[in-house]
Amino acid sequence: MTELTFAHQHVQIIPDKLIEFALKRKEGVLCANQALAVNTGKRTGRSPKDRFIVRDALTEHTVNWDFINQPFPLEKFNQLWRRTADYLSGKELFVSRLKVGADPKYELPIILISETAWQCLFATQLFIRDKGVDTTRPNTWTIMSAPGFSTNPERDGVNSDGAVIMDFTQQRILVCGMQYAGEIKKAMFTVLNFILPDKDTLPMHCSANVGKDGDSALFFGLSGTGKTTLSADPERYLIGDDEHGWSSDGIFNFEGGCYAKCINLSQQREPLIWDAIRFGAIMENVIIDPVTLEPHYEDDSLTENTRVAYPREHINNRVEENRANHPKSVIFLSCDLYGVLPPVSILNLEQAAYYFLSGYTALVGSTEVGSSAGIKPTFSTCFGAPFFPRPPIVYAQLLQKRLQETRAPIYLINTGWTGGAYGQGGQRFDIPVTRAVVTAALGGHLINAPLEKIPGFGFSIPKEVPGVASKLLNPKNTWRNASDYEHQAKALMSQFIDNFRKFQDVPAAIQAAGPIIG
């Protein structure tokens, strides 16, 4: 489509200049650590009820139209697109030409038009910067972001004063009334999740890193389960912390930056993330001391979903190519509130598909606005339900295909509670324990370890893990009362079974891989 042009636009400005503009326009403040701190207003997370996909000939039978993927009429979208462009026409704007997809076979050029300098900086640091990106290519996407433009539900056909609308046919994304920049990032993730399955490539909500011997690993999980923390390992090299593709050639990052949670961040537990927060990074909704300008990472008075965005260049231990060969290990991270799941389980191919579709974990400091405070269990299909527009089985079968081709072992690692349920005497696994489990899995120490099975779930679990006390490996042994454990285990198994009933087109072998209550 024809590139939008405006009278007052700054095109392809370097991050230093964008920070200068943001400070001059009072969009944020420079903290003591030199990161730019911004406040995103009433929306401090994603707004699922305000996300739509244009329903047309392309998407009618390819998108899974459910409560997550909301349809939007093309005519209404065109009207709102023009109305937003008119709103922006007299303003000072910021334009960046970027791309997503580190593999040239699958990259998508992007033209971002932003009303604010800081959102332009966010995209510049999170997406891939490339001096040679060609935005005249037919697969170029345009993102128009107007956080100051409020939508009208009666006039525009939306649900509130803000909206994120994706048009897969005309390759356009409209973001109105949204200061929270995560909406821009996740919209492009959704686009790739729609496009890549047709290219025999699995899009994944996962982090990825590589060992010193070139062994790559994937970490699937929702926000708060340890996906970013565990992949930012001082002993390994980071590819990316959130979104990747897995083709027949290997894995590749969608992005050029990282988007980490800041709540309770510490230099001791997350040294790589801590050191990455410096000039060029953008912190969202972190409380800043008005005198010292030091960030208070423990303060959740605005939101638990405090965030920082920074480019991969802020991580010294990184894979320069931003991609790698096929993974030698695949890890599902699950934060179990019931204290029922083992610290590590070894899954077969059918179990991998079952637990990938289930996406069981806990919401820890939810990334969505409107979520009630506290921690609660959830099932998020493919470990990222809001971002996967196609029917879930499409992604599950692609995962199975890649696993069959590579024979990569699959581990389910519990980063949640043990010895009891959350709030009922249980304790969350310490990060050093989880790191020891991950290190053992990535090092191949669990492949030939002596195993036992967990009744009901059918998991195989190792009897020995280097660096982990053996009493922690079978969760039943960590509870004071075995009958209490069995009661909680049955409750969790029932939730798995109830949740899986929503999948109508899943092969019998995958359905049979789930829990069985005796």
Side-chain angles (χ1 to χ4, degrees):
M1 60 173 294
T2 303
E3 181 176 340
L4 289 169
T5 56
F6 297 89
H8 308 287
Q9 60 182 26
H10 303 282
V11 180
Q12 212 68 358
I13 307 177
I14 62 172
D16 291 22
K17 280 292 185 182
L18 287 168
I19 294 170
E20 187 178 313
F21 270 111
L23 295 173
K24 181 180 178 181
R25 290 155 55 101
K26 301 187 183 307
E27 295 175 2
V29 298
L30 212 58
C31 301
N33 59 16
Q34 296 300 293
L36 179 70
V38 300
N39 187 304
T40 66
K42 66 179 181 181
R43 288 183 173 90
T44 57
R46 293 181 295 99
S47 185
K49 293 181 180 179
D50 296 317
R51 296 177 84 248
F52 303 88
I53 296 172
V54 171
R55 191 170 195 162
D56 57 16
L58 174 62
T59 60
E60 177 68 36
H61 302 294
T62 52
V63 167
N64 180 33
W65 298 111
D66 56 8
F67 67 96
I68 293 176
N69 298 308
Q70 302 180 98
F72 201 81
L74 177 59
E75 182 180 357
K76 282 285 188 183
F77 177 80
N78 287 336
Q79 292 171 357
L80 187 53
W81 181 272
R82 288 193 296 269
R83 195 172 289 119
T84 307
D86 289 342
Y87 163 81
L88 293 175
S89 62
K91 296 185 177 297
E92 182 181 38
L93 303 177
F94 302 87
V95 179
S96 279
R97 295 187 176 95
L98 307 160
K99 69 178 183 180
V100 290
D103 188 327
K105 291 183 180 178
Y106 308 107
E107 68 182 24
L108 294 180
I110 300 170
I111 300 169
L112 172 80
I113 303 162
S114 174
E115 182 182 4
T116 60
W118 86 261
Q119 281 196 348
C120 188
L121 174 67
F122 175 94
T124 300
Q125 303 292 49
L126 261 293
F127 295 147
I128 298 173
R129 276 177 270 149
D130 187 344
K131 291 181 180 179
V133 63
D134 182 5
T135 54
T136 65
R137 290 167 51 183
N139 64 338
T140 297
W141 279 73
T142 300
I143 305 173
M144 187 158 55
S145 177
F149 177 70
S150 296
T151 51
N152 182 311
E154 292 185 6
R155 179 194 65 194
D156 300 321
V158 296
N159 293 328
S160 74
D161 61 354
V164 179
I165 310 173
M166 291 158 277
D167 180 355
F168 294 155
T169 299
Q170 298 185 78
Q171 299 171 179
R172 300 181 296 177
I173 296 171
L174 182 60
V175 184
C176 295
M178 301 285 184
Q179 294 189 62
Y180 180 70
E183 295 283 17
I184 297 172
K185 164 188 160 70
K186 290 302 185 183
M188 278 312 303
F189 182 36
T190 305
V191 166
L192 285 163
N193 291 346
F194 178 78
I195 291 173
L196 288 180
D198 281 344
K199 300 179 183 296
D200 190 37
T201 297
L202 173 65
M204 303 173 293
H205 188 209
C206 71
S207 58
N209 63 23
V210 177
K212 294 177 181 178
D213 296 327
D215 55 306
S216 61
L218 300 176
F219 300 80
F220 288 83
L222 265 63
S223 177
T225 58
K227 179 165 52 72
T228 297
T229 298
L230 292 170
S231 60
D233 186 334
E235 300 301 317
R236 294 174 66 83
Y237 297 89
L238 183 72
I239 302 174
D241 77 327
D242 200 34
E243 300 160 4
H244 294 81
W246 189 358
S247 72
S248 57
D249 298 324
I251 58 177
F252 60 95
N253 195 355
F254 288 170
E255 302 178 296
C258 300
Y259 194 39
K261 296 194 79 167
C262 290
I263 193 69
N264 295 322
L265 183 71
S266 78
Q267 188 173 18
Q268 180 182 5
R269 291 180 302 181
E270 296 119 340
L272 295 188
I273 299 172
W274 181 279
D275 291 342
I277 306 178
R278 56 182 192 263
F279 188 76
I282 311 103
M283 296 193 303
E284 290 179 312
N285 302 312
V286 175
I287 300 298
I288 308 301
D289 188 289
V291 178
T292 66
L293 296 180
E294 292 285 352
H296 292 307
Y297 295 124
E298 76 286 353
D299 192 332
D300 62 357
S301 56
L302 275 180
T303 176
E304 289 187 1
N305 187 40
T306 53
R307 288 278 179 172
V308 61
Y310 52 86
R312 283 183 353 110
E313 288 75 20
H314 284 197
I315 300 288
N316 291 328
N317 287 10
R318 65 182 185 275
V319 179
E320 290 294 344
E321 297 80 7
N322 211 3
R323 55 186 188 272
N325 294 324
H326 294 291
K328 294 295 180 69
S329 304
V330 176
I331 292 173
F332 295 165
L333 298 171
S334 180
C335 181
D336 175 28
L337 294 184
Y338 289 87
V340 164
L341 295 183
V344 59
S345 309
I346 302 171
L347 308 182
N348 61 34
L349 196 64
E350 289 72 28
Q351 287 173 329
Y354 183 94
Y355 288 98
F356 176 69
L357 285 169
S358 297
Y360 168 69
T361 189
L363 290 174
V364 184
S366 177
T367 61
E368 296 181 356
V369 296
S371 297
S372 56
I375 305 175
K376 57 185 179 182
T378 190
F379 291 86
S380 186
T381 305
C382 306
F383 293 102
F387 320 118
F388 290 88
R390 292 182 182 268
I393 193 62
V394 171
Y395 305 103
Q397 289 178 334
L398 266 173
L399 173 68
Q400 283 192 305
K401 182 178 181 179
R402 292 286 101 90
L403 291 173
Q404 285 176 320
E405 291 170 348
T406 61
R407 298 187 178 181
I410 313 103
Y411 304 99
L412 177 64
I413 292 180
N414 176 17
T415 64
W417 272 254
T418 185
Y422 165 69
Q424 300 178 30
Q427 292 184 331
R428 190 167 186 182
F429 284 110
D430 290 333
I431 288 180
V433 171
T434 301
R435 282 204 185 278
V437 170
V438 170
T439 298
L442 300 185
H445 302 298
L446 306 184
I447 294 175
N448 296 315
L451 304 174
E452 64 176 312
K453 285 202 172 183
I454 297 294
F457 286 101
F459 297 143
S460 292
I461 66 169
K463 294 182 178 181
E464 302 171 359
V465 174
V468 179
S470 58
K471 67 178 182 180
L472 294 177
L473 300 178
N474 188 323
K476 188 174 182 178
N477 297 336
T478 67
W479 284 59
R480 292 182 180 178
N481 188 308
S483 62
D484 288 344
Y485 167 80
E486 291 170 357
H487 174 76
Q488 287 283 35
K490 287 181 180 178
L492 180 56
M493 286 188 278
S494 295
Q495 288 194 33
F496 270 104
I497 293 167
D498 290 344
N499 173 73
F500 214 79
R501 290 193 178 100
K502 67 188 178 188
F503 302 115
Q504 304 297 321
D505 52 355
V506 174
I510 296 177
Q511 295 186 42
I516 298 174
I517 300 177

